[in-house]
């Protein structure tokens, strides 16, 4: 064992927190190599065990075999998307293939599979509890879904496919990040920034100054810069310029992802066929609540039927408004955010910017913690002694109020930077469960790209950013409240079309006065958000619901098209996307714009044939939140049922069984359409 590499030493911080302050780029590859060697030795011991295969000596032993490789890969993969310079990014092409090879070595090992199968075949007589049964089933399925039943030639084919895919996903992400960072728009004329809020201008001036352009304004494709520009800038030509840059990220040019998209779908399809599935979508959905592509397509098309006319009506209404306001006879995609905001202002007598002063980041964070306390009895205490990977990251210890029990660590990382990919996500540096023979609490993190502070103002969030924070915190609660035995079943290790329920349900509290009253205070006066402003916000909640629904359905249907079509018939990424999204489009296709080439969720983020999950889980969360509204937003009985049957149980039971234990019945599929005002 290497005595100087911090990744290979026992972690000595509070609760074995990751020693980010000690880890250097050169530590990763040797640590991964050593951890892989340890994992192979552990697997060899399982195979050499003379005792008959049983649950403990085979299934539990396998769960623990690669624990150190898992830990190191988790640290690397988290930093590779949250804080990676070129040197750290460059390691991906070495590290991911090594880890994929280890996974293949285990899943394609016929001796190991023989032991797993022996335990699986006698499962009825083993007297296992629900969680043990689920782990056994999941382990067996993991082997069969990764080629254990194949002949030697097909196993080798699968191994090669997995090696190629392990490099393509990170390459796709890297291209999107570089394409995002490559665009900057520098402005120096007052008329070019007419309409933009003071805070946005101050942020743009600070960005320009940091890049050596004092006295000018700089805008880029990071959401906190891009969205306000698209929403408020009067200069239509510049809105078009920004929109075209954003909508063509990694499509053509230096960081083109077209070849990567085609290769990824080709390899996924080939992999599915080797495993005797018709398409990649069939393969993925066999382990989802939806079960098969037909169910997903029926679901998405039902929502489209309810959304399309409403979406067209929204666009027509916007066109008439733009005509009345500025004489436009046709609106383009780069006009939507601008005129939507103006129409909303006219109709509901408030502007999204009116909300911002009440959403100081620190107050919103305190608000989300207060919700966790009122609903689930949790307290968060910042610990500045715990090392972090960037100065902006904060670390908290989590405690349960009633018992004083330590519940884990929570990291927050809120602002954009050039070393971080766009978007927002929850992740973990350690899962909850049995690790190295001890029950461990989780180390959970959320990573976002929010509006930054300016020289004169704190970070003042948009309403959408507030919802995003509550959303990711919902995922975080799923991780921190986990009470499972086995890490591979704990926290967010659930069916992908169930994983968004805990996150999406949390967004509902920021649409209610009772939730907003807890934290929405003016950053200068500390006055609560006025009741009439909250009422205006509530009345605007269904505004353009048809348009927004069509947009999400477009992504879901495009994802299904990419993963249920024979890739041999796809010659052109853009032409295929246009065909796949034709039914959902509310605007004609704009030449040069392409979503697929920057669609990290499905090509680099685990959502392939799974993007429908957002809408699927919206049905669950709309139905679940109706229960809270019936009984009271902070009703302890309902919150306890949600915690005990959803948040704490991970993937230990089928999600529909867990949902029914919480709700007392299956979800009402019309709950979402009711909430959006579409029925």
């Amino acid at each position: 064992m290497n005595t100087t590499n911090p990744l290979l030493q026992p972690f000595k911080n509070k609760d074995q927190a990751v020693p980010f302050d000690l880890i250097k780029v050169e530590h990763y590859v040797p640590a991964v190599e050593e951890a892989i060697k340890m994992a192979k030795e552990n697997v060899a011991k399982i195979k050499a065990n003379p005792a008959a295969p049983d649950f403990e000596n085979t299934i539990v032993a396998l769960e623990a075999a690669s624990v150190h490789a898992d830990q190191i890969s988790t640290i690397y993969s988290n930093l590779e998307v949250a804080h990676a310079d070129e040197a750290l990014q460059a390691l991906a092409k070495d590290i991911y293939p090594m880890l994929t090879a280890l996974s293949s070595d285990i899943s394609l090992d016929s001796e190991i599979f023989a032991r797993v199968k022996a335990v699986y075949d006698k499962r009825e007589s083993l007297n296992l509890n629900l969680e043990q049964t689920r782990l056994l089933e999941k382990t067996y399925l993991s082997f069969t879904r990764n080629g254990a039943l194949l002949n030697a030639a097909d196993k080798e084919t699968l191994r090669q496919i997995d090696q190629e895919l392990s490099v393509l996903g990170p390459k796709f992400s890297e291209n999107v990040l570089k394409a995002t960072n490559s665009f900057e728009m520098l402005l120096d004329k007052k008329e070019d920034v007419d309409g933009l809020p003071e805070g946005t201008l101050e942020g743009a001036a600070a960005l320009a100054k940091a890049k050596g352009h004092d006295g000018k304004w700089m805008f880029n494709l990071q959401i906190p810069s891009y969205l306000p520009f698209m929403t408020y800038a009067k200069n239509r030509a510049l809105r078009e310029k920004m929109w075209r840059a954003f909508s063509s990220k990694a499509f053509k040019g230096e960081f083109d992802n077209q070849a990567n998209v085609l290769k990824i779908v080709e390899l996924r399809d080939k992999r599915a066929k080797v495993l005797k599935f018709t398409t990649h979508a069939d393969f993925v959905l066999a382990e989802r609540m939806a079960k098969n592509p037909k169910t997903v397509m029926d679901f998405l098309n039902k929502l489209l039927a309810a959304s399309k006319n409403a979406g067209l009506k929204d666009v027509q209404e916007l066109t008439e408004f733009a005509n009345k306001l500025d004489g436009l006879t046709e609106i383009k995609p780069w006009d939507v955010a601008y005129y939507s905001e103006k129409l909303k202002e006219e109709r509901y007598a408030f502007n999204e910017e009116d909300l911002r002063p009440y959403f100081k980041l620190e107050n919103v964070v305190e608000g989300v913690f207060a919700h966790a306390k009122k609903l689930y009895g949790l307290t968060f205490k910042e610990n500045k002694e715990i090392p972090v990977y960037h100065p902006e990251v904060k670390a908290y210890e989590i405690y349960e109020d009633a018992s004083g029990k330590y519940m884990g660590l929570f990291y927050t990382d809120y602002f954009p930077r050039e070393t971080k990919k766009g978007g927002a996500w929850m992740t973990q540096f350690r899962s909850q469960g049995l690790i190295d023979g001890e029950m461990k609490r989780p180390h959970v993190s959320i990573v976002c790209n929010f509006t930054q502070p300016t020289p004169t103002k704190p970070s003042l969030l948009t309403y959408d950013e507030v919802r995003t924070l509550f959303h990711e915190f919902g995922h975080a609660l799923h991780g921190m409240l986990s009470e499972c035995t086995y890490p591979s079943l704990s926290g967010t290790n659930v069916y992908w079309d169930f994983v968004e329920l805990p996150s999406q349900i949390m967004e509902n509290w920021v649409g209610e006065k009772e939730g907003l009253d807890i934290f929405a205070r003016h950053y200068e006066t500390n006055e609560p958000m006025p009741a009439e402003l909250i009422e205006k916000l509530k009345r605007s909640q269904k505004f353009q619901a048809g348009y927004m629904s069509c947009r999400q359905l477009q992504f879901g249907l495009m994802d299904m098209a990419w993963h249920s079509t024979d890739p041999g018939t796809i010659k052109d990424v853009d032409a295929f996307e246009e065909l796949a999204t034709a039914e959902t489009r509310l605007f004609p296709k704009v030449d040069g714009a392409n979503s697929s080439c920057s669609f990290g969720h499905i090509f680099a983020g685990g959502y392939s044939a799974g993007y429908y999950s957002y809408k699927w889980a919206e049905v669950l969360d709309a139905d679940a939140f109706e229960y809270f509204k019936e009984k009271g937003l902070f009703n302890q009985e309902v919150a306890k049922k949600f915690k005990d049957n959803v948040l704490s149980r991970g993937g230990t039971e089928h999600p529909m069984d867990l949902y029914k234990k919480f709700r007392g019945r299956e979800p009402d599929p019309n709950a979402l359409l009711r909430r959006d005002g579409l029925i």
Side-chain angles (χ1 to χ4, degrees):
M1 170 88 68
N2 185 309
T3 54
T4 58
N5 190 324
L7 286 164
L8 294 169
Q9 300 308 304
F11 294 172
K12 292 179 180 165
N13 300 306
K14 162 80 184 181
D15 193 27
Q16 297 95 52
V18 178
F20 293 112
D21 52 333
L22 304 177
I23 301 168
K24 296 183 168 62
V25 171
E26 60 267 25
H27 291 140
Y28 284 102
V29 171
V32 170
E33 288 171 342
E34 180 63 31
I36 286 172
K37 189 175 150 200
M38 290 161 66
K40 287 181 173 178
E41 287 167 1
N42 289 335
V43 170
K45 283 178 194 163
I46 296 170
K47 285 170 20 176
N49 190 335
D54 62 26
F55 182 76
E56 287 294 328
N57 71 22
T58 300
I59 308 304
V60 176
L62 260 178
E63 168 93 350
S66 57
V67 64
H68 296 295
D70 293 343
Q71 181 180 52
I72 295 162
S73 70
T74 296
I75 295 167
Y76 174 74
S77 61
N78 278 326
L79 264 62
E80 191 247 328
V81 291
H83 188 48
D85 57 15
E86 293 217 349
L88 194 72
Q89 278 179 349
L91 299 183
K93 67 183 187 304
D94 300 317
I95 288 176
Y96 290 131
M98 282 197 285
L99 292 165
T100 301
L102 171 65
S103 178
S104 296
D105 286 344
I106 296 171
S107 61
L108 298 174
D109 187 315
S110 54
E111 290 177 65
I112 282 287
F113 179 60
R115 291 186 69 95
V116 170
K117 189 173 184 303
V119 182
Y120 182 75
D121 286 346
K122 58 183 180 187
R123 61 193 180 281
E124 302 295 339
S125 62
L126 296 179
N127 200 26
L128 302 176
N129 64 30
L130 273 174
E131 187 173 353
Q132 291 170 325
T133 301
R134 183 70 193 119
L135 181 66
L136 175 55
E137 288 170 351
K138 190 174 178 181
T139 305
Y140 178 78
L141 273 171
S142 173
F143 274 85
T144 58
R145 287 172 64 80
N146 285 291
L149 296 171
L150 299 178
N151 61 42
D154 285 344
K155 281 183 178 179
E156 190 51 41
T157 300
L158 203 68
R159 184 188 291 274
Q160 288 170 2
I161 290 170
D162 288 344
Q163 284 290 300
E164 282 191 75
L165 284 170
S166 73
V167 177
L168 285 168
K171 182 64 186 165
F172 183 98
S173 285
E174 187 182 323
N175 280 346
V176 175
L177 182 61
K178 286 180 174 175
T180 303
N181 289 339
S182 71
F183 177 88
E184 291 172 341
M185 186 169 75
L186 194 63
L187 303 175
D188 57 5
K189 295 187 180 70
K190 193 78 181 79
E191 59 266 31
D192 287 343
V193 295
D194 194 13
L196 289 165
E198 180 196 344
T200 299
L201 284 176
E202 201 178 334
L207 183 61
K209 187 176 181 179
K211 296 270 186 160
H213 303 286
D214 205 0
K216 299 183 180 182
W217 299 279
M218 182 176 279
F219 297 89
N220 60 30
L221 302 182
Q222 300 279 9
I223 292 298
S225 176
Y226 173 77
L227 265 187
F229 195 90
M230 298 305 296
T231 307
Y232 298 106
K234 286 186 180 176
N235 190 317
R236 193 182 187 213
L238 291 178
R239 289 204 311 269
E240 179 179 353
K241 182 180 178 181
M242 284 287 278
W243 186 89
R244 285 183 181 276
F246 189 88
S247 302
S248 60
K249 282 184 299 186
F251 177 56
K252 302 182 178 175
E254 186 183 355
F255 308 114
D256 190 9
N257 261 335
Q258 290 181 87
N260 290 329
V261 167
L262 292 174
K263 192 65 182 170
I264 287 168
V265 294
E266 177 201 327
L267 289 170
R268 285 174 176 168
D269 183 73
K270 189 176 176 186
R271 189 182 197 282
K273 286 182 166 57
V274 169
L275 290 165
K276 308 295 187 285
F277 287 89
T278 310
T279 66
H280 178 70
D282 287 281
F283 168 76
V284 168
L285 294 165
E287 280 291 280
R288 298 287 190 266
M289 290 177 81
K291 295 182 181 167
N292 57 64
K294 184 183 184 305
T295 304
V296 172
M297 293 303 291
D298 288 349
F299 169 72
L300 293 175
N301 284 322
K302 181 189 175 188
L303 290 179
L304 184 60
S307 307
K308 182 76 178 276
N309 284 339
L312 289 168
K313 186 166 167 277
D314 288 341
V315 172
Q316 179 62 29
E317 191 175 61
L318 216 51
T319 305
E320 289 166 7
F321 178 73
N323 181 261
K324 183 181 83 172
L325 207 63
D326 292 326
L328 258 65
T329 54
E330 181 188 11
I331 63 166
K332 300 285 191 180
W334 46 87
D335 299 317
V336 172
Y338 180 77
Y339 287 106
S340 289
E341 188 58 32
K342 293 279 181 290
L343 178 58
K344 186 194 284 184
E345 199 169 338
E346 181 181 273
R347 183 171 297 171
Y348 303 105
F350 92 102
N351 182 306
E352 283 277 335
E353 285 294 303
D354 296 342
L355 303 172
R356 223 191 251 264
Y358 297 94
F359 293 144
K360 179 181 168 184
L361 173 64
E362 290 78 4
N363 291 350
V364 181
V365 171
E366 285 306 312
V368 86
F369 288 169
H371 276 72
K373 191 180 192 72
K374 282 173 77 81
L375 286 163
Y376 307 115
L378 297 179
T379 292
F380 295 78
K381 297 176 183 172
E382 188 178 356
N383 184 338
K384 293 183 177 176
E385 302 301 308
I386 292 172
V388 291
Y389 57 84
H390 187 276
E392 289 170 350
V393 177
K394 291 186 176 181
Y396 301 83
E397 296 174 32
I398 316 161
Y399 291 92
E400 189 177 68
D401 293 344
S403 63
K405 176 185 172 183
Y406 167 75
M407 297 295 287
L409 295 178
F410 180 49
Y411 297 86
T412 62
D413 179 0
Y414 291 127
F415 301 121
R417 48 182 175 265
E418 290 189 350
T419 55
K420 184 198 281 190
K421 80 169 191 174
W425 61 94
M426 167 268 184
T427 184
Q428 296 188 134
F429 287 101
R430 186 176 78 192
S431 297
Q432 180 269 327
L434 195 62
I435 299 171
D436 287 335
E438 286 179 53
M439 289 300 288
K440 300 284 177 74
R441 295 307 305 167
H443 296 175
V444 176
S445 173
I446 58 174
V447 186
C448 307
N449 283 274
F450 290 155
T451 301
Q452 289 172 291
T454 68
T456 66
K457 287 187 178 66
S459 168
L460 299 175
L461 303 187
T462 64
Y463 181 62
D464 193 50
E465 287 174 330
V466 174
R467 287 179 56 182
T468 297
L469 177 52
F470 271 72
H471 177 104
E472 298 309 332
F473 191 76
H475 282 308
L477 286 169
H478 204 180
M480 11 171 130
L481 288 170
S482 180
E483 295 289 353
C484 304
T485 306
Y486 308 108
S488 67
L489 296 177
S490 72
T492 55
N493 288 309
V494 299
Y495 280 2
W496 215 247
D497 44 11
F498 192 63
V499 79
E500 295 297 332
L501 167 61
S503 55
Q504 288 180 184
I505 195 171
M506 279 304 291
E507 293 183 40
N508 288 281
W509 273 267
V510 297
E512 301 291 334
K513 185 177 187 301
E514 202 177 336
L516 289 166
D517 281 348
I518 291 171
F519 67 91
R521 297 189 163 271
H522 197 283
Y523 77 102
E524 289 175 316
T525 65
N526 206 36
E527 289 294 311
M529 186 181 282
E532 61 270 24
L533 185 55
I534 294 177
E535 187 51 40
K536 288 172 183 176
L537 171 65
K538 276 185 74 69
R539 289 206 342 260
S540 73
Q541 292 293 288
K542 295 181 176 68
F543 180 61
Q544 294 187 334
Y547 174 83
M548 296 308 294
S549 180
C550 286
R551 188 171 179 275
Q552 278 293 85
L553 292 169
Q554 183 172 105
F555 290 136
L557 287 162
M558 181 165 72
D559 169 34
M560 289 303 292
W562 275 118
H563 293 110
S564 55
T565 304
D566 177 0
T569 65
I570 306 172
K571 306 302 178 196
D572 181 301
V573 168
D574 204 37
F576 181 77
E577 178 180 307
E578 185 173 4
L579 190 67
T581 57
E583 286 301 308
T584 57
R585 282 192 179 280
L586 301 175
F587 290 95
K589 170 90 163 67
V590 177
D591 190 43
N594 181 276
S595 299
S596 298
C597 287
S598 59
F599 200 172
H601 271 79
I602 68 168
F603 292 116
Y607 278 83
S608 63
Y611 198 83
Y612 76 92
S613 301
Y614 284 104
K615 296 306 283 185
W616 186 277
E618 272 188 61
V619 170
L620 298 177
D621 98 70
D623 184 68
F625 193 64
E626 282 184 353
Y627 193 17
F628 275 98
K629 289 186 86 169
E630 257 170 56
K631 302 283 188 181
L633 249 55
F634 295 98
N635 180 281
Q636 288 302 291
E637 179 198 350
V638 181
K640 186 175 188 307
K641 284 175 80 172
F642 194 68
K643 175 185 166 185
D644 291 349
N645 296 301
V646 177
L647 296 176
S648 68
R649 297 314 305 140
T652 57
E653 295 179 56
H654 191 283
M656 189 58 84
D657 294 337
L658 293 174
Y659 190 85
K660 285 193 289 191
K661 284 181 181 178
F662 156 66
R663 192 66 167 101
R665 57 164 174 76
E666 290 200 358
D668 175 1
N670 288 325
L672 173 61
L673 297 175
R674 275 198 299 277
R675 184 173 72 188
D676 286 350
L678 296 173
I679 55 169

